């Protein structure tokens, strides 16, 4: 007699939150959007939807311009509260409207689309690690500064950091036209990357900068647990340095890492 499928009433629900952080133009939003199409029962939350209004942003002392690239520009309590709501209800709070979803930045049409058959293979690879008695729901959090806030970091189960060399990041950022904001639209003034974006990335993500340099030198693989002990900020974070890698190779690598972490989670 065939074994009957486990009924939905006896399946245990587990929420798995996945964070994709990293510098601007490192590929995290594009990869996050692909992940949402790969993972069943998944919700995608963008940190960029939690900027304070432009009039409340810190002013960069060197340029006199609004600083969008420091922790003080983000309403972390609102982000953490929204993430908690999604974890509890598997949906956004009533009235939530994503500005980031209106931005073309990171949209899949800006790269060669990954074939659906390939995405399906990534899904099967990840879901093969999930016990049959578990009903899994995924919350994907995409943001340039997820791990500087300890409370937020503690709510993320699988942590990834996507980065690339300085020149690649600069070229990608400066090729963008702009961003939808609460007030309308923001375009980087000339020199904004070197004067504001990059100095703030170095200031707030120093341990990741050092780790990326070690990866580039071949001294680190990027996987946590593979080489010695790390500092607090980079602990339990898998780092993927993309360089000139294709989006498909990045999505493949991220899927491999999620598969590995899911396997450990259910051992």
């Amino acid at each position: 007699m065939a074994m009957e499928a486990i009924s939905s009433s006896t399946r245990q629900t587990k929420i798995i939150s996945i964070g994709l952080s990293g510098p601007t133009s490192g590929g995290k939003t594009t990869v996050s959007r692909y992940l949402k199409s790969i993972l069943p029962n998944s919700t995608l939350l963008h940190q960029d939807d939690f900027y304070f209004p432009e009039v409340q942003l810190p002013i960069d002392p060197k340029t006199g311009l609004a600083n969008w690239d420091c922790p003080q520009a983000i309403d972390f309590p609102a982000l953490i509260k929204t993430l908690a709501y999604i974890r509890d209800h598997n949906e956004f709070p009533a009235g939530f409207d994503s500005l980031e979803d209106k931005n073309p930045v990171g949209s899949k049409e800006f790269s060669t689309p990954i074939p659906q058959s390939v995405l399906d293979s990534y899904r099967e690879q990840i879901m093969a690690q999930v016990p049959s008695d578990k009903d899994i729901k995924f919350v994907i959090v995409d943001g340039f500064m997820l791990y500087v806030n300890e409370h937020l970091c503690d709510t993320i189960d699988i942590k990834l950091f996507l980065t690339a060399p300085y020149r690649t990041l600069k070229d990608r950022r400066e090729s963008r036209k702009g961003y939808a904001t609460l007030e309308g639209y923001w375009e980087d003034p000339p020199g904004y990357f070197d004067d504001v974006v990059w100095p703030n990335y170095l200031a707030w993500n120093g341990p990741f900068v050092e780790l990326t340099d070690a990866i580039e030198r071949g001294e680190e693989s990027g996987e946590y647990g593979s080489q010695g002990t790390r500092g607090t900020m980079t602990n339990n974070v898998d780092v993927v340095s993309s360089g000139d890698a294709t989006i498909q190779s990045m999505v493949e690598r991220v899927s491999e890492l999620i598969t590995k972490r899911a396997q450990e989670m259910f051992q």
Side-chain angles (χ1 to χ4, degrees), residues 4-14 41 132-137:
E4 295 183 3
I6 298 174
S7 68
S8 58
S9 61
T10 61
R11 290 163 66 90
Q12 296 178 325
T13 298
K14 180 174 178 61
N41 300 319
S132 59
D133 64 339
K134 301 290 185 184
D135 184 15
I136 302 297
K137 301 183 186 302

Side-chain angles (χ1 to χ4, degrees), residues 18-247:
I18 301 172
L20 283 90
S21 195
T24 179
S25 304
K28 57 190 177 297
T29 302
T30 303
V31 173
S32 294
R33 288 176 176 170
Y34 269 118
L35 268 185
K36 187 178 185 304
S37 67
I38 291 170
L39 298 173
N41 300 319
S42 60
T43 304
L44 175 55
L45 181 65
H46 301 287
Q47 186 180 49
D48 282 6
D49 282 323
F50 296 89
Y51 275 112
F52 285 112
E54 189 173 346
V55 294
Q56 297 179 26
L57 295 180
I59 300 300
D60 177 68
K62 178 181 177 181
T63 63
L65 297 169
N67 185 349
W68 298 84
D69 289 84
C70 62
Q72 294 79 9
I74 300 294
D75 188 347
F76 279 101
L79 170 57
I80 293 166
K81 182 178 180 180
T82 302
L83 177 56
Y85 186 95
I86 294 171
R87 290 184 70 112
D88 290 341
H89 302 279
N90 198 34
E91 63 180 5
F92 287 99
F96 183 88
D97 184 34
S98 174
L99 283 172
E100 179 60 22
D101 283 341
K102 298 178 174 63
N103 282 320
V105 177
S107 295
K108 289 183 284 188
E109 62 264 29
F110 280 76
S111 62
T112 302
I114 302 175
Q116 187 60 48
S117 60
V118 175
L119 298 178
D120 291 344
S121 70
Y122 298 158
R123 179 187 302 113
E124 292 171 4
Q125 169 184 294
I126 294 169
M127 297 308 295
Q129 313 309 318
V130 178
S132 59
D133 64 339
K134 301 290 185 184
D135 184 15
I136 302 297
K137 301 183 186 302
F138 297 94
V139 183
I140 305 160
V141 189
D142 151 44
F144 75 107
M145 208 165 279
L146 298 183
Y147 308 136
V148 300
N149 183 284
E150 186 174 350
H151 188 182
L152 176 61
C153 189
D154 287 344
T155 66
I156 298 174
D157 301 310
I158 298 176
K159 305 176 183 69
L160 299 112
F161 191 90
L162 276 55
T163 186
Y166 160 85
R167 174 51 60 182
T168 301
L169 298 172
K170 177 180 169 70
D171 289 347
R172 289 175 182 170
R173 173 77 178 231
E174 293 184 344
S175 70
R176 293 180 175 178
K177 294 181 179 179
Y179 307 84
T181 68
L182 289 171
E183 292 79 8
Y185 205 69
W186 165 270
E187 293 185 21
D188 287 349
Y192 193 78
F193 184 89
D194 284 324
D195 292 339
V196 178
V197 176
W198 190 247
N200 275 274
Y201 171 63
L202 297 178
W204 297 104
N205 293 279
F208 284 109
V209 176
E210 295 174 7
L211 189 53
T212 302
D213 289 343
I215 293 172
E216 299 294 332
R217 295 192 300 267
E219 299 170 2
E220 247 272 14
S221 69
E223 285 189 38
Y224 78 79
S226 59
Q227 284 107 347
T229 304
R230 294 184 183 174
T232 302
M233 190 178 191
T234 59
N235 194 36
N236 296 336
V237 181
D238 289 308
V239 179
V240 178
S241 184
S242 64
D244 295 323
T246 64
I247 285 296

